[in-house]
Amino acid sequence: MTNWDTQSNKKEFNAILTVALKSRVIAYYEEFKRQLEDSDQSLNIAMTFSFGNENDPNNSVDPAVVKMMFEDYNNFTGIEFIANDKKHGEEAYFEDLVDRSTRGGSGRNPKNIDLIIVADQLLTGYDSKRLNALYVDRSLELQGLIQAYSRTNRVYGASKEFGTIVNFQYPRRTEEKVNMALQLYGKGGHSSKVIVDVYDNAVQKLNLAMNEVAKTLPVPTEWQLFVDDEERKQLFVESFQAAAKQFNIVEQYYEYSWNNETFGMDEHTWLQYVGAYRNLTQGDDEETPPEVTNVLVGTTKLAGTQIIDANHILKLIGSKVNLDDGTQSVDTETLRIIYEQIQELSNMGDHDQAELLREFVDTELVPQNIPSNVDFDVAFEDWKKSRLNNEIQAFADEWGIDFKILQLSVKDYSVLNSENTPYLSDITKSVDFNKASNQFAGNRLKHIITLTHLIPEWMAEISQKYQS
């Protein structure tokens, strides 16, 4: 047990180790505690079994063991249990353990249980979508095997499509029992979807999928060539989604580690494809595509280098500027590096932010329009606000809208609730058709109808462009 793998918990999932005897549960538990202390690792482990009672002395548990178990559990949950207590004893402990592992924590302690060591409990009638791995050191057969194995089979978003079963006893004999159980209770042995590919086969499928992505868009940074070509764009989007789905599967295996040769692509190039996908699908009205990879959340990470986002670039520029005659400036080499970083931000899927940064550098930094007593990031935010207000004013003038109401609507708009335009009725009421520079509709009623259909799209575009 010296090579216990904690990767099953890397995405806040938990695992169960099931053994045949209560004594082995306790032995495993104590061995885990010893090895965790020796290796300076941190895992929240718990054990549970049938405690027995005073009428069944042969099935009872040493009170010292129960006390140790409760004290250890209290250390990471903050909840105290007392042996043989009707309200706070063994039954309450078991209920809290099941509830915590099912929900991934509790209001008092959000930390999940990483590993639960059991004898006969939690193998049936227990349903947790966070259960990612089942370790088996006992004999399971037929219906009992199917029930136990299915504990890991709950899909949990794109980050968990299947669970892992690890058998410690007689691999060949176990395989025979699995096939027999699947034939009786599933859809038939090896052909059943209950069993996923071995890692090498999953990687081969990923390689093929990534090759298809490269065929549809040979150079990921040239995604703009597809903006007005719906057919080629659709081919790329479909091939990328297929590759991203397979990548999510591959990422769940214990063996996962990025491999340029077997994957058929280096990680930086893959992230550029992620960026191309983001740039090409931003603002699409289609159903939300499948989650593609963790790098889409928040900032974009370049393998082995610095996180590239607008904040990083602003800090870079702020640390490199020269203060000359009361203004900020940069030398030629620094400017080249800045442009490279901005282009990388665009390649990674934040094209709108990259374009704003590029324009700010060109119109404010290069001509030395930024005072030396103003922080660079503050200057950029002030410039963005000014640009945003100018665009709001231009739209208000075009449609004869009250500027302040439209400005308030933009401020309260949320991309998470894009179907709702704040203060839409106030906006339409404020329309002065005679002051609108755009009067192509011919009259106020048609003008407002056209505006009502147009403004949600404009609101989404303006919010995306000037997002912080």
Side-chain angles (χ1 to χ4, degrees):
M1 294 298 298
T2 56
N3 293 319
W4 171 259
D5 193 334
T6 62
Q7 290 190 56
S8 62
N9 190 51
K10 67 180 179 180
K11 294 182 179 177
E12 298 184 356
F13 297 131
N14 57 21
I16 286 179
L17 166 60
T18 178
V19 299
L21 302 173
K22 187 183 306 183
S23 59
R24 288 185 64 79
V25 172
I26 298 169
Y28 264 113
Y29 184 81
E30 293 177 337
E31 179 63 14
F32 266 106
K33 287 183 60 176
R34 186 188 66 78
Q35 291 200 28
L36 286 171
E37 183 176 352
D38 291 346
S39 60
D40 196 29
Q41 293 189 64
S42 177
L43 283 178
N44 288 340
I45 62 173
M47 61 176 169
T48 184
F49 36 68
S50 173
F51 288 92
N53 54 61
E54 58 185 7
N55 298 320
D56 184 13
N58 294 327
N59 195 33
S60 62
V61 182
D62 185 344
V65 171
V66 178
K67 181 180 179 182
M68 170 192 67
M69 177 173 63
F70 285 175
E71 288 179 350
D72 292 345
Y73 196 77
N74 173 262
N75 286 337
F76 72 86
T77 65
I79 300 176
E80 184 177 0
F81 295 99
I82 304 171
N84 299 317
D85 187 288
K86 290 185 177 180
K87 290 186 177 180
H88 306 288
E90 289 81 353
E91 185 175 339
Y93 166 82
F94 181 73
E95 289 177 357
D96 186 83
L97 182 147
V98 172
D99 185 54
R100 188 177 302 278
S101 61
T102 301
R103 295 190 294 114
S106 72
R108 294 181 61 181
N109 173 48
K111 180 63 179 176
N112 194 13
I113 303 174
D114 299 311
L115 173 68
I116 305 173
I117 307 172
V118 304
D120 291 319
Q121 294 176 313
L122 303 183
L123 298 185
T124 61
Y126 168 74
D127 187 22
S128 172
K129 58 190 176 183
R130 290 177 172 82
L131 180 60
N132 194 51
L134 175 66
Y135 296 86
V136 182
D137 188 11
R138 59 178 298 176
S139 177
L140 293 170
E141 296 183 9
L142 301 179
Q143 186 177 356
L145 182 147
I146 293 295
Q147 289 178 327
Y149 281 20
S150 65
R151 297 309 93 201
T152 71
N153 206 33
R154 281 289 302 278
V155 173
Y156 190 26
S159 58
K160 183 193 177 215
E161 295 191 9
F162 58 85
T164 300
I165 311 293
V166 179
N167 278 287
F168 296 153
Q169 295 185 3
Y170 310 109
R172 179 64 64 183
R173 189 179 303 173
T174 297
E175 182 179 359
E176 293 173 356
K177 290 180 179 179
V178 169
N179 290 333
M180 181 181 298
L182 292 177
Q183 287 171 357
L184 288 173
Y185 299 100
K187 295 182 179 180
H190 295 290
S191 64
S192 173
K193 295 297 183 182
V194 172
I195 301 177
V196 299
D197 288 323
V198 296
Y199 181 71
D200 288 345
N201 289 347
V203 169
Q204 288 178 9
K205 290 181 179 180
L206 177 62
N207 184 297
L208 293 174
M210 286 189 167
N211 284 335
E212 288 300 314
V213 172
K215 289 178 182 177
T216 61
L217 180 59
V219 182
T221 56
E222 294 180 355
W223 58 269
Q224 288 176 299
L225 298 175
F226 288 8
V227 170
D228 298 319
D229 190 332
E230 285 299 322
E231 183 177 352
R232 294 178 67 188
K233 174 183 172 181
Q234 188 61 28
L235 286 173
F236 166 72
V237 167
E238 290 176 357
S239 65
F240 177 84
Q241 288 180 351
K245 183 177 181 180
Q246 186 62 24
F247 175 70
N248 281 334
I249 292 173
V250 168
E251 199 179 21
Q252 293 174 57
Y253 287 81
Y254 292 136
E255 302 97 317
Y256 166 72
S257 178
W258 191 280
N259 187 305
N260 295 347
E261 182 178 352
T262 58
F263 285 15
M265 186 180 298
D266 64 78
E267 190 174 8
H268 186 203
T269 301
W270 171 246
L271 292 177
Q272 288 183 331
Y273 277 115
V274 173
Y277 175 80
R278 289 185 63 184
N279 286 325
L280 286 169
T281 57
Q282 279 180 347
D284 283 359
D285 294 329
E286 300 176 2
E287 185 178 336
T288 303
E291 182 181 344
V292 291
T293 176
N294 292 336
V295 299
L296 291 188
V297 182
T299 58
T300 300
K301 177 181 179 295
L302 293 181
T305 62
Q306 171 65 45
I307 290 175
I308 301 297
D309 60 7
N311 186 53
H312 159 70
I313 296 174
L314 289 170
K315 288 181 178 179
L316 170 69
I317 298 174
S319 66
K320 298 292 185 180
V321 294
N322 300 315
L323 305 179
D324 300 321
D325 299 325
T327 62
Q328 300 184 32
S329 64
V330 290
D331 56 39
T332 303
E333 177 61 16
T334 300
L335 190 61
R336 181 189 67 79
I337 295 173
I338 291 169
Y339 283 137
E340 283 184 354
Q341 296 278 284
I342 291 174
Q343 183 59 48
E344 194 71 2
L345 180 64
S346 175
N347 293 342
M348 294 299 162
D350 287 321
H351 180 67
D352 290 331
Q353 283 290 296
E355 288 301 293
L356 275 179
L357 277 167
R358 195 189 314 274
E359 184 176 352
F360 180 65
V361 168
D362 288 342
T363 61
E364 302 297 322
L365 179 61
V366 173
Q368 300 185 33
N369 293 333
I370 306 172
S372 58
N373 62 345
V374 177
D375 290 340
F376 192 85
D377 55 345
V378 173
F380 178 63
E381 289 301 318
D382 289 344
W383 177 83
K384 275 207 308 182
K385 289 178 183 177
S386 176
R387 284 291 308 275
L388 174 59
N389 284 333
N390 289 341
E391 293 210 31
I392 294 173
Q393 186 67 66
F395 190 83
D397 292 343
E398 180 182 359
W399 293 91
I401 302 169
D402 182 278
F403 168 77
K404 290 185 177 180
I405 294 176
L406 184 60
Q407 185 184 46
L408 183 61
S409 178
V410 171
K411 178 183 177 182
D412 290 348
Y413 176 81
S414 170
V415 294
L416 299 178
N417 189 20
S418 59
E419 296 180 357
N420 177 43
T421 301
Y423 313 112
L424 180 58
S425 61
D426 294 326
I427 291 173
T428 55
K429 287 178 182 177
S430 76
V431 170
D432 187 338
F433 181 67
N434 294 324
K435 291 184 178 180
S437 62
N438 172 10
Q439 298 184 358
F440 296 121
N443 60 61
R444 186 176 187 275
L445 178 59
K446 291 183 179 178
H447 183 83
I448 290 177
I449 292 174
T450 303
L451 172 64
T452 302
H453 286 89
L454 175 67
I455 199 165
E457 180 181 345
W458 176 82
M459 194 74 69
E461 289 178 357
I462 206 77
S463 298
Q464 178 179 305
K465 184 176 180 180
Y466 290 99
Q467 62 185 328
S468 298

